[in-house]
Amino acid sequence: MSFCSLFEVLQLKKTRVLFCCLGNICRSPTAEAVFRVRVEEAGLGQHIEIDSAGTHDFHIGKPPDTRTQRAAMKRGYDMSGLRGRQVEISDFSRFDYVLAMDHANMENLQRLCPQKEQGRLELFLKYASRHGEREVPDPYYGGEEGFERVLDMVEDAAEGLLRYIRQASG
Ligand code: 4NP
């Protein structure tokens, strides 16, 4: 392959982002929906692939939690088309960023992930600038305010992540 065509291929390479939580019905699909809106607003939909998955199999094929969907819809994020899936080993080679919502998710991912791809695993809130916490708390067993808090944190980190990816890809 000539230098020129290799350069073109590198330029065209998509950045792939996978958001992960426990069940894939609350936090990670919220991150997927919010980040997709930010990416589309930036006109980068062709360049960034986005997905989410759970470390466990409780909710495979299920739509996001109704409380999650209701809170997200109030802010303009339609999550109704999303369906739960479980993390697969092939995700670790496919996705450039595999972003965990909390330390327990991170430990589960570290156990599953091949050694050579461990560097792709990060806590999502590393990219937040308005929140000092490093975990998105699990809202599943709490009240409505927990879902608002998830959205606040996710919106913050999604903006930071997009900024970072734009800088990293020049
Ligand atoms: P998520 O929340 O990991 O943010 O999707 C949860 C969803 C379901 C359960 C726990 C957390 N569950 O125990 O079924």
Side-chain angles (χ1 to χ4, degrees):
M1 187 184 297
S2 72
F3 175 77
C4 186
S5 58
L6 175 62
F7 181 70
E8 280 165 11
V9 168
L10 290 174
Q11 287 287 94
L12 290 173
K13 187 191 171 299
K14 277 193 175 191
T15 299
R16 296 186 167 87
V17 179
L18 182 69
F19 297 103
C20 297
C21 61
L22 179 69
N24 193 214
I25 55 166
C26 296
R27 292 164 293 173
S28 64
T30 300
E32 177 183 351
V34 169
F35 191 56
R36 181 165 289 121
V37 167
R38 294 290 177 275
V39 165
E40 292 294 337
E41 284 169 352
L44 294 172
Q46 301 287 318
H47 302 287
I48 303 179
E49 185 180 311
I50 307 159
D51 199 0
S52 66
T55 55
H56 287 66
D57 62 1
F58 313 136
H59 302 286
I60 293 173
K62 306 256 183 68
D65 183 282
T66 49
R67 298 162 298 173
T68 290
Q69 287 201 55
R70 206 167 36 241
M73 193 52 111
K74 280 196 289 176
R75 299 193 194 190
Y77 308 109
D78 181 1
M79 299 175 62
S80 60
L82 301 180
R83 293 295 177 269
R85 77 164 178 93
Q86 191 172 16
V87 173
E88 297 167 6
I89 299 301
S90 60
D91 288 327
F92 299 113
S93 55
R94 176 169 181 75
F95 290 92
D96 305 290
Y97 297 82
V98 179
L99 302 174
M101 296 296 139
D102 63 28
H103 288 298
N105 306 150
M106 185 73 171
E107 282 161 22
N108 287 328
L109 292 167
Q110 282 166 338
R111 268 194 294 276
L112 293 169
C113 181
Q115 194 56 43
K116 65 179 188 303
E117 284 139 4
Q118 290 274 335
R120 299 176 183 207
L121 309 180
E122 295 177 309
L123 285 172
F124 179 39
L125 285 195
K126 171 188 159 181
Y127 294 96
S129 57
R130 300 187 295 274
H131 293 83
E133 302 92 327
R134 283 296 164 258
E135 298 189 290
V136 183
D138 183 351
Y140 191 70
Y141 294 106
E144 296 294 321
E145 70 290 349
F147 294 87
E148 295 299 331
R149 182 150 179 71
V150 167
L151 278 159
D152 290 341
M153 293 176 139
V154 162
E155 286 179 330
D156 180 4
E159 287 163 26
L161 175 62
L162 183 55
R163 251 192 323 270
Y164 182 86
I165 290 174
R166 292 180 85 153
Q167 279 165 7
S169 35

